[in-house]
Structures are given as C-alpha cells and as structure tokens.
Amino acid sequence: GAGVSQSPSNKVTEKGKDVELRCDPISGHTALYWYRQRLGQGLEFLIYFQGNSAPDKSGLPSDRFSAERTGESVSTLTIQRTQQEDSAVYLCASSLRRYNEQFFGPGTRLTVL
Amino acid sequence: TQLLEQSPQFLSIQEGENLTVYCNSSSVFSSLQWYRQEPGEGPVLLVTVVTGGEVKKLKRLTFQFGDARKDSSLHITAAQPGDTGLYLCAGGGSQGNLIFGKGTKLSVKP
C-alpha cells in the first residue's frame, strides 16, 4: 500500500504570501501529525489530529499557522503571511492509533525569500 | 516539560568502527523509539523499546532502554557507509505526540 505522501515537495514563496501544504496519510490511520524541521535540527511538533477529536494545537508557533483535517483523510497545513523564519522542511506523519509507530512522508521543503 | 537530549550531536567515523549514541531525559517515558532519517526523506522507525532494561538487536544495531526508562542508547557494531544518517530518539508526549531529540548526525566514511 502507499505510504504517507506530501505535496508539494518543494515550495518557494515570497515573504508575506500564504502557503498551503498537503498531507495524504496512510489509509486507516486515525492519527496524523505535523512537524517542522529546521536545517540541522530535530523535529518540532506542530499539531496532532486523532480521529474526530479536537486537534492538539499546542505546538503551533503563532496564529499564522493553522491546519485542518477532513475526517481521517487529507490534512492541510496553512501558513499565512509567511516570514523568512518559516523556512524549513514540514513533515507529516500518520499512525494507526495514538502512541503507535509513526510513518513519515518525505516532507515539503519551504523556502521563504 | 519533557525533553530528550542526544549526544554526540555529530559523529564521523571510518567504516568498521563501533559507536554508541545516547538519548537522555530527566523525565520517565513509557516507551522510546529510535528513527533514522536520510537526506531528503522522512524519519523511518528502527525500533521501539518499552520495558526498563530492555535490549533489542537489529542486525548490527543494539538498542538499550535504561532501567529507569529515562535514557536509551544505540550501539552500532562495525559501522558501514550505509549507516550514515541522522539518528533520532523520540518518546511519547503527554498529548499523544512524539517528543524528538535533536538527533545525532552520523557519517561513516569508506
């Protein structure tokens, strides 16, 4: 079966523009996570969806960041009025259930000029 | 706040050498996971350790979970260039997410 996919793989944008990143999780996985990874750094938790429960948004760095998920399928991460410090790889992961092994997508490399 | 500290941050060795990387915390974790990430890809799970004192082996890789479940180590025997990558440890956060360390970047030269 297919793994986690993300699109686009690369995104270059100008400061102040909005961007939308997409994640297609593995079918049947109820949990979905977004992380940010700056160059040479570990993974920074952003947001977590579990089934139809309210998402855990505790990792979102500012109100310019938001994410949605439709049921147990696709998720989109939106960054409004992008800043240069938003440049990073954004990774999505899904797992069968909370606390299970997470399967990661290849990430979206965002560059804000 | 639960934090995981990994050491060393960087490691460059010759093929055939042995190495150990460490993952430490002041917090107790119910389980710890080790991932390897190659450039341009997402992390891939290597192993999950759940019991204090547990030792798991995956070919040339040996993983150990500390008795108090606050630390873990990864030992690689006779490292190969294919072992090159970023090794990340992760523990289960209270909200269901994973808390990651900053990783150890390993380079194995032929």
Side-chain angles (χ1 to χ4, degrees):
Chain A
V4 177
S5 61
Q6 292 185 246
S7 61
S9 55
N10 281 284
K11 175 73 176 178
V12 180
T13 190
E14 293 180 348
K15 179 181 172 181
K17 296 280 177 78
D18 298 351
V19 295
E20 194 171 275
L21 313 180
R22 177 187 169 109
C23 172
D24 282 88
I26 294 173
S27 177
H29 280 194
T30 64
L32 186 145
Y33 309 79
W34 283 97
Y35 296 90
R36 178 169 68 181
Q37 186 174 33
R38 292 201 166 103
L39 188 63
Q41 299 292 312
L43 275 64
E44 176 187 359
F45 166 72
L46 296 177
I47 189 169
Y48 157 57
F49 295 89
Q50 173 62 57
N52 293 318
S53 302
D56 172 14
K57 304 180 181 180
S58 60
L60 294 178
S62 77
D63 58 9
R64 295 187 295 106
F65 288 72
S66 62
E68 292 183 350
R69 186 183 187 194
T70 306
E72 294 183 356
S73 61
V74 172
S75 175
T76 55
L77 175 69
T78 301
I79 308 174
Q80 295 178 308
R81 306 181 302 281
T82 52
Q83 304 294 312
Q84 288 182 332
E85 65 260 28
D86 299 334
S87 296
V89 175
Y90 289 83
L91 289 160
C92 173
S94 70
S95 66
L96 194 58
R97 285 180 298 277
R98 180 178 178 173
Y99 297 123
N100 282 170
E101 172 188 359
Q102 294 189 13
F103 293 83
F104 284 82
T108 293
R109 181 175 296 278
L110 175 66
T111 303
V112 182
L113 301 177
Chain B
T1 303
Q2 295 173 298
L3 292 173
L4 284 166
E5 295 189 1
Q6 292 190 243
S7 61
Q9 188 176 356
F10 300 97
L11 190 55
S12 181
I13 62 172
Q14 293 295 129
E15 181 176 1
E17 291 183 11
N18 301 332
L19 67 114
T20 302
V21 298
Y22 300 92
C23 173
N24 295 294
S25 175
S26 58
S27 303
V28 175
F29 286 91
S30 56
S31 65
L32 276 179
Q33 299 179 347
W34 283 92
Y35 288 80
R36 181 169 70 204
Q37 185 179 22
E38 298 187 22
E41 299 182 8
V44 175
L45 181 70
L46 296 173
V47 78
T48 301
V49 286
V50 297
T51 306
E54 180 177 6
V55 176
K56 281 192 173 179
K57 291 192 175 184
L58 186 67
K59 296 183 181 178
R60 294 176 294 100
L61 278 62
T62 301
F63 303 85
Q64 186 162 8
F65 200 12
D67 290 341
R69 292 184 288 128
K70 292 183 178 181
D71 56 271
S72 182
S73 63
L74 159 59
H75 181 80
I76 301 179
T77 304
Q80 304 293 312
D83 296 327
T84 293
L86 178 67
Y87 289 81
L88 296 158
C89 67
S94 58
Q95 304 299 324
N97 57 305
L98 279 179
I99 296 168
F100 281 84
K102 292 188 175 180
T104 293
K105 192 168 185 179
L106 172 65
S107 174
V108 182
K109 296 183 167 66

